[in-house]
Amino acid sequence: MNQKNANVFAIGHSIFPAVLLLLFVSHKQFIFLALAALSLIYTAFLIHRAYSVGDLSQLLRMPGLAAIVFFDMAIVTMVYILPKWPPDANPTWLLLFLLPLYASELGKRTAVVICALGIGEIVLFTTVQGRSFFALDTVMGLMGMVVLIWLVGRTSDNLVRMAYYDSLTELPNREMFKERLTAYLNKKSLRQRGLAVIFLDLDGFKHVNDTMGHETGDSLLQTVAQRIRTAISKDVTLARMGGDEFALLVPNISKSDESTQVCNLIFQCLQEAIFLGPHEIYATTSIGVALYPNHGSTSENLMKNAEVAMYRAKQQGRNNFQYYMAPEKTEAQLERFAMEAMLRKALEKDELLVYYQPRIHTKSERVVCVEALVRWKHPSLGIVPPAEFIPLAEETGLIVQLGEQVLRKACNQIKRWQNEGLPELSVSVNLSPHQFRQQNLPAVIARILRQAGLRPQYLELEITESAAMQNVNRNILMMRELKEMGVKISIDDFGTGYSSLSYLKKFPIDVLKVDRSFISGIHEDPDHAAIVNAIIVLAKTLKLKVTAEGVETEEQYIFLRQHHCDEAQGYLFGKPMPPDIFEEWVRLNTTDKDLMLSHET
């Protein structure tokens, strides 16, 4: 139960020393004065923690709550057994001052516990003082305690529910989330183990509300909340922050990989369709993550920075997660804006180049496919590495326009080579996750193929493993539509993501591309060799082709041939080359019998 007003709990305890002082005046026993002094010191302590330190709300949680209850009960016990009470005096009514404090502050459940302890105190009093437990005033006191629990405790619970819980999903709301986060930040143990604040926002929720009605929207929020709550561990706090925004408080995070796993769990639990009446809805979400202490040391900063990261995830295409990034320095910002402006200009003027890297069939040792790779030759900066402008294109959304240009140039070039009598080649083109999420992707590809006059079977689309595993059901439908056109599909960087074999079997794909990180370690790391062999066996079982990337030595190539890898690609055969250089390379290095393997281009 959440604390509402710890200050009232502290001030309310001042009744006890006041009552004990009155008992001292009426009964003339100095034990009452001593107990009043002890109770006054205890009350002063509670007021100090409530007003000066400000952490009484945290103390009213276990194990601090147990200590406070123990001290309260200890004072009541001493009041019952130490003084000499006259036969006509029955101080069991003292509990009626204590019980409302717990009932109003901590709710009905805690009040029941205090009531049970109070009954034990009354039994102790009647035993020590030689009284009857069933005396009328004792029974009336017990009935008063029950009434207080029912009225005050129930009312308190309802107020807490209204103030700290979302009525639709029954999750904690923003206020409770902030209080729990503040409580975690005040723990000394947090210095050894950090925490993560994760904000998520449903993509396209407004469209659901506008087209299907608010009732369907509410049902969607309830279903999403239930799925996430089922997927995460019990020590993670899930809250609804308002609208279609949710937040998670993940304690005991020592490194970012652990919060990444939580984000992946959220994506996975939303992969399946949500059926709401006649509607079938696929919910996706954009997620922002802020880590303590790297991204903030207060609850306000962590929540704000997680929300900023969430909006950045939306800007980068939605259905992804982003960690908070501190604002760049002014020079870096200006440099980024300048680079973005130059990239936009290069796209508008169609200045980006496409290089081609050969892919070799291991049995015939002939070039059967080329991978199209974008390059930017800036007039003043020279060659700009892809690692510098591709992430910028992803972040700004320019990757869609860039990807279409690369696809168009690659298809036109392959058709031109076919017309010029070069060996019949296919071309593989990488699709960014942002591109792959475009609903009109099949129509765009069909238009480009039609304009180039290239038959679809000569085009292969490369999709990263991680992109394929986001919103799996939608991606399967997308892949099927592309396959029906006759386009080939390959999973790029296979082995570095988190593919489910059950989903991999459902994907209508043609090729698995083994990531270069495994190929480079074939002769140095037995584990890498075993992984490559396992991927080849898996692909053969699923009747898929296998392409190995990053082949740089003849030893690697021989290993791949011996293990029946279908195709190989890497510097051993040729680097990425401009069209004219590649054309010359094909004519010089390909004979009727063999392919000359060389590191030179």
Side-chain angles (χ1 to χ4, degrees):
M1 182 62 64
N2 198 62
Q3 287 71 42
K4 304 187 301 302
N5 190 355
N7 297 349
V8 173
F9 183 85
I11 293 295
H13 271 72
S14 61
I15 296 176
F16 252 73
V19 169
L20 290 173
L21 282 174
L22 291 176
L23 288 173
F24 167 70
V25 172
S26 61
H27 292 275
K28 308 300 182 185
Q29 297 185 46
F30 283 98
I31 187 62
F32 286 117
L33 186 60
L35 291 175
L38 178 62
S39 181
L40 185 62
I41 293 172
Y42 174 56
T43 301
F45 167 77
L46 293 178
I47 294 174
H48 170 71
R49 299 304 290 260
Y51 286 91
S52 299
V53 181
D55 67 342
L56 184 57
S57 290
Q58 283 71 50
L59 286 179
L60 289 173
R61 294 183 174 92
M62 298 298 293
L65 177 61
I68 291 175
V69 171
F70 173 81
F71 206 92
D72 275 331
M73 290 296 107
I75 292 178
V76 172
T77 301
M78 287 186 285
V79 170
Y80 280 176
I81 66 175
L82 294 182
K84 294 181 179 178
W85 290 95
D88 59 340
N90 193 339
T92 54
W93 48 264
L94 283 172
L95 287 168
L96 298 179
F97 291 111
L98 184 63
L99 188 61
L101 297 177
Y102 284 93
S104 62
E105 184 65 24
L106 297 167
K108 187 165 58 178
R109 291 184 180 178
T110 305
V112 169
V113 174
I114 299 300
C115 182
L117 294 174
I119 292 174
E121 296 287 347
I122 294 174
V123 171
L124 179 65
F125 168 76
T126 55
T127 302
V128 172
Q129 301 291 337
R131 309 290 180 86
S132 171
F133 179 80
F134 298 101
L136 179 61
D137 50 359
T138 302
V139 174
M140 292 296 293
L142 291 175
M143 292 178 62
M145 293 167 63
V146 172
V147 171
L148 284 174
I149 291 175
W150 178 254
L151 294 180
V152 180
R154 186 182 181 187
T155 302
S156 175
D157 287 344
N158 290 336
L159 291 174
V160 166
R161 192 174 296 107
M162 293 170 59
Y164 292 101
Y165 285 87
D166 173 56
S167 59
L168 178 65
T169 61
E170 298 184 354
L171 294 175
N173 62 11
R174 180 183 289 269
E175 189 66 27
M176 176 176 272
F177 183 87
K178 185 177 179 180
E179 283 198 11
R180 288 189 180 179
L181 176 58
T182 301
Y184 270 107
L185 293 175
N186 288 333
K187 289 183 178 180
K188 295 181 180 179
S189 60
L190 195 64
R191 298 171 184 174
Q192 287 77 35
R193 298 281 292 177
L195 60 81
V197 175
I198 300 176
F199 267 47
L200 62 92
D201 182 274
L202 297 184
D203 300 327
F205 179 74
K206 184 178 183 300
H207 176 73
V208 174
N209 260 348
D210 292 344
T211 59
M212 302 179 189
H214 290 278
E215 186 175 346
T216 301
D218 289 346
S219 298
L220 175 61
L221 291 174
Q222 291 172 329
T223 304
V224 168
Q226 182 59 39
R227 284 194 181 183
I228 297 176
R229 187 159 44 188
T230 303
I232 59 178
S233 60
K234 293 182 179 180
D235 63 336
V236 176
T237 297
L238 172 64
R240 184 187 177 201
M241 309 304 280
D244 59 337
E245 291 186 7
F246 296 85
L248 293 92
L249 170 57
V250 188
N252 302 325
I253 292 288
S254 60
K255 53 186 179 180
S256 60
D257 288 349
E258 297 176 23
S259 53
T260 298
Q261 292 174 4
V262 176
C263 294
N264 288 333
L265 284 175
I266 296 173
F267 286 129
Q268 290 174 14
C269 76
L270 297 180
Q271 285 177 355
E272 298 294 335
I274 297 174
F275 295 94
L276 300 174
H279 306 293
E280 180 180 0
I281 301 174
Y282 287 92
T284 62
T285 182
S286 301
I287 300 177
V289 184
L291 301 176
Y292 172 88
N294 297 341
H295 302 151
S297 56
T298 66
S299 57
E300 290 81 3
N301 285 341
L302 287 169
M303 292 169 66
K304 175 177 67 70
N305 293 340
E307 195 166 11
V308 168
M310 179 191 71
Y311 284 116
R312 192 161 68 89
K314 282 192 173 294
Q315 293 172 356
Q316 297 194 8
R318 305 187 177 190
N319 197 29
N320 69 95
F321 70 90
Q322 298 292 326
Y323 283 91
Y324 173 73
M325 294 178 61
E328 300 169 340
K329 296 181 180 179
T330 304
E331 287 187 20
Q333 284 182 327
L334 293 175
E335 183 179 344
R336 178 193 176 282
F337 291 144
M339 181 69 75
E340 180 182 344
M342 289 186 290
L343 181 57
R344 289 184 183 276
K345 184 177 180 181
L347 288 170
E348 290 171 3
K349 296 189 174 183
D350 201 13
E351 294 177 350
L352 296 181
L353 307 175
V354 178
Y355 282 28
Y356 299 89
Q357 186 175 28
R359 227 162 75 183
I360 310 302
H361 192 273
T362 57
K363 289 185 179 179
S364 65
E365 295 194 330
R366 293 182 180 275
V367 183
V368 292
C369 186
V370 290
E371 181 174 0
L373 300 165
V374 65
R375 295 292 183 267
W376 183 10
K377 189 175 182 180
H378 191 271
S380 57
L381 299 178
I383 297 294
V384 180
E388 291 187 12
F389 70 88
I390 292 296
L392 179 61
E394 288 274 9
E395 182 179 347
T396 57
L398 295 173
I399 194 68
V400 174
Q401 184 180 351
L402 186 153
E404 287 187 21
Q405 286 193 12
V406 171
L407 185 62
R408 182 175 294 105
K409 290 186 176 184
C411 290
N412 288 334
Q413 185 63 62
I414 290 296
K415 183 61 179 178
R416 189 177 302 116
W417 280 333
Q418 289 180 356
N419 294 338
E420 292 174 357
L422 248 66
E424 201 170 73
L425 298 174
S426 297
V427 62
S428 66
V429 181
N430 293 281
L431 288 182
S432 74
H434 198 128
Q435 279 181 282
F436 191 54
R437 286 191 291 267
Q438 300 298 307
Q439 296 291 339
N440 64 337
L441 177 63
V444 171
I445 293 173
R447 184 180 69 249
I448 291 175
L449 288 171
R450 184 174 61 256
Q451 292 172 348
L454 183 68
R455 296 169 65 182
Q457 58 263 38
Y458 293 110
L459 175 62
E460 179 181 306
L461 300 175
E462 296 188 17
I463 303 164
T464 62
E465 185 180 6
S466 56
M469 290 305 298
Q470 292 183 8
N471 202 346
V472 173
N473 292 326
R474 173 202 166 276
N475 291 347
I476 290 175
L477 295 176
M478 175 75 76
M479 292 182 192
R480 285 177 181 170
E481 189 172 353
L482 293 170
K483 283 286 292 181
E484 289 173 0
M485 293 168 48
V487 175
K488 297 177 183 176
I489 300 175
S490 65
I491 299 295
D492 196 14
D493 301 334
F494 187 77
T496 61
Y498 52 93
S499 292
S500 165
L501 294 182
S502 62
Y503 282 121
L504 186 63
K505 184 179 179 181
K506 296 178 182 178
F507 287 149
I509 59 177
D510 302 278
V511 182
L512 293 182
K513 295 194 73 175
V514 185
D515 187 71
R516 63 181 68 248
S517 61
F518 297 118
I519 303 301
S520 62
I522 281 179
H523 293 291
E524 300 173 0
D525 190 339
D527 291 338
H528 281 199
I531 290 172
V532 172
N533 185 45
I535 293 175
I536 294 173
V537 172
L538 171 65
K540 297 298 182 183
T541 303
L542 297 176
K543 299 180 181 180
L544 304 175
K545 290 185 178 180
V546 188
T547 298
E549 296 181 298
V551 181
E552 298 183 357
T553 67
E554 292 195 31
E555 290 79 7
Q556 294 170 351
Y557 180 56
I558 292 171
F559 176 91
L560 294 169
R561 288 191 63 184
Q562 289 175 344
H563 289 79
H564 308 292
C565 180
D566 298 294
E567 297 175 3
Q569 174 185 346
Y571 281 14
L572 177 64
F573 315 106
K575 299 177 181 179
M577 297 168 267
D580 54 341
I581 301 296
F582 176 79
E583 185 175 339
E584 182 181 353
W585 179 90
V586 171
R587 299 187 189 280
L588 289 176
N589 289 284
T590 306
T591 67
D592 292 336
K593 295 182 179 180
D594 199 5
L595 170 73
M596 297 169 58
L597 305 182
S598 172
H599 289 279
E600 302 297 328
T601 60

